[in-house]
Amino acid sequence: MTEIDANIDGLVPAWLTLPDIAEQFGVEVTRVRQLVKEGQLIAVRRGENRALHVPADFIQDDKVVKGLVGTLTLLKDDGFTDEEMLEWLFTPDDTLPGTPAQALRENRGTEVKRRAQALAV
């Protein structure tokens, strides 16, 4: 595990494997892989077998959290790597309050997107 992986691992409270998500969504794992490929989810290799994992906070009510895809697009357009996006999404921000990932889950996506847009300035 690289240093950034250890940092991210510490920030993200829980992870799901792609097969776990496929089961929740009621789809084939290839569909979840497609979501990752399209940038709708971020997956990182972790653990002993280096399997792909997605932060559990990205899934709510058996679907991708509302506002996540748009936020990921904004961050990618700002030049963020997947690791930097995860770090930003899971780093606590006292002014938010909580983490951007928590705010998305609590339907406060407008504020999260506003902050993501401000990063480009």
Side-chain angles (χ1 to χ4, degrees):
M1 194 178 276
T2 64
E3 187 174 336
I4 190 73
D5 289 336
N7 181 35
I8 292 168
D9 217 9
L11 289 174
V12 178
W15 297 89
L16 295 170
T17 63
L18 300 190
D20 292 338
I21 296 168
E23 186 175 319
Q24 280 188 19
F25 287 6
V27 299
E28 296 293 323
V29 74
T30 54
R31 176 65 188 128
V32 179
R33 287 185 189 283
Q34 187 66 29
L35 292 174
V36 172
K37 185 177 179 183
E38 292 171 354
Q40 295 183 44
L41 288 172
I42 296 174
V44 296
R45 295 203 177 273
R46 60 183 295 276
E48 286 182 28
N49 61 359
R50 308 287 291 157
L52 286 171
H53 287 76
V54 172
D57 284 348
F58 287 178
I59 309 301
Q60 188 173 32
D61 300 326
D62 298 334
K63 59 187 173 196
V64 176
V65 169
K66 180 181 174 188
L68 177 66
V69 175
T71 302
L72 294 179
T73 300
L74 285 169
L75 293 172
K76 187 161 269 320
D77 289 350
D78 289 346
F80 278 55
T81 65
D82 286 354
E83 292 82 9
E84 291 167 335
M85 286 189 267
L86 287 172
E87 186 172 11
W88 185 80
L89 285 164
F90 287 96
T91 297
D93 181 343
D94 292 338
T95 65
L96 199 48
T99 67
Q102 279 177 303
L104 287 172
R105 290 180 63 81
E106 295 167 359
N107 203 23
R108 294 186 286 139
T110 302
E111 180 60 20
V112 173
K113 287 182 198 168
R114 188 187 68 72
R115 290 167 187 246
Q117 286 173 326
L119 294 172
V121 177

